[in-house]
Amino acid sequence: MILRPLAGLVLAAAMTLSGAAFAASHNNTIKMFDPDNDGTLDLSEVKNAASALFDKLDPDKDGTLDARELRGRLSKKELAAADPDHDGTLTKDEYLAVVAQRFSAANPDNDGTLDAKELKSPAGRALLRLMK
C-alpha cells in the first residue's frame, strides 16, 4: 500500500524535472541563437540560424533541399505547399519563407520576438525543427 503513494511522488517528481529540463533546453536554444543576448529571438536571428542549417543540410551545394536532405523537417504536404514551382525542392528563399510563416505562428502576441514559452508551443517546436 505504501508503494502506490510513493510511485505517485516519483512520477510527479519526474514530470517536474522533465518540465524543468524542457524549459532549460529552450533557454539554451535562445542563448545559442541570440547574439544580442536579450533573451528572445527575433525573425532576423531565426532566419540566420535557419540559413546556416540550410547550408549544412545541402551537402551537394546545389542551393536546394529535397525531401531526403530535409530529413523529416517538413512533411511531404508541407514541402509541396512551400514549393511554388513544384520541382520537389526548396531554394533557400523558399525555405526561409516557411521559417517566416512558422515564426509568425509561434508569435501569437505579435511582439516580433519569441521567448522560451513561445518556443515550447507546437508552433515554436515546428519552427525549431527548421533552425537546428
Side-chain angles (χ1 to χ4, degrees):
M1 294 296 174
I2 284 180
L3 292 178
R4 186 169 287 173
L6 183 58
L9 287 173
V10 170
L11 181 60
M15 289 173 58
T16 300
L17 289 175
S18 67
F22 190 74
S25 74
H26 284 81
N27 286 333
N28 289 339
T29 297
I30 289 175
K31 287 177 186 176
M32 191 170 25
F33 300 120
D34 183 25
D36 63 5
N37 295 311
D38 67 352
T40 64
L41 298 179
D42 63 32
L43 182 58
S44 176
E45 292 165 335
V46 167
K47 281 187 168 184
N48 286 340
S51 181
L53 178 62
F54 181 98
D55 294 340
K56 184 178 172 183
L57 295 175
D58 185 21
D60 58 7
K61 305 297 180 210
D62 68 351
T64 64
L65 297 179
D66 59 28
R68 181 185 52 77
E69 291 169 322
L70 283 165
R71 301 181 190 162
R73 286 176 169 83
L74 295 174
S75 69
K76 287 182 182 184
K77 184 177 177 180
E78 290 168 329
L79 175 58
D83 182 18
D85 56 4
H86 307 293
D87 67 352
T89 66
L90 295 182
T91 65
K92 188 180 281 190
D93 286 341
E94 292 167 343
Y95 185 81
L96 293 177
V98 176
V99 169
Q101 290 169 347
R102 289 192 176 180
F103 181 92
S104 292
N107 186 30
D109 60 5
N110 293 316
D111 68 351
T113 62
L114 301 177
D115 59 24
K117 182 180 177 184
E118 289 167 321
L119 289 174
K120 286 185 226 177
S121 71
R125 290 191 307 269
L127 174 63
L128 287 173
R129 285 194 298 273
L130 301 180
M131 296 172 53
K132 60 181 195 168

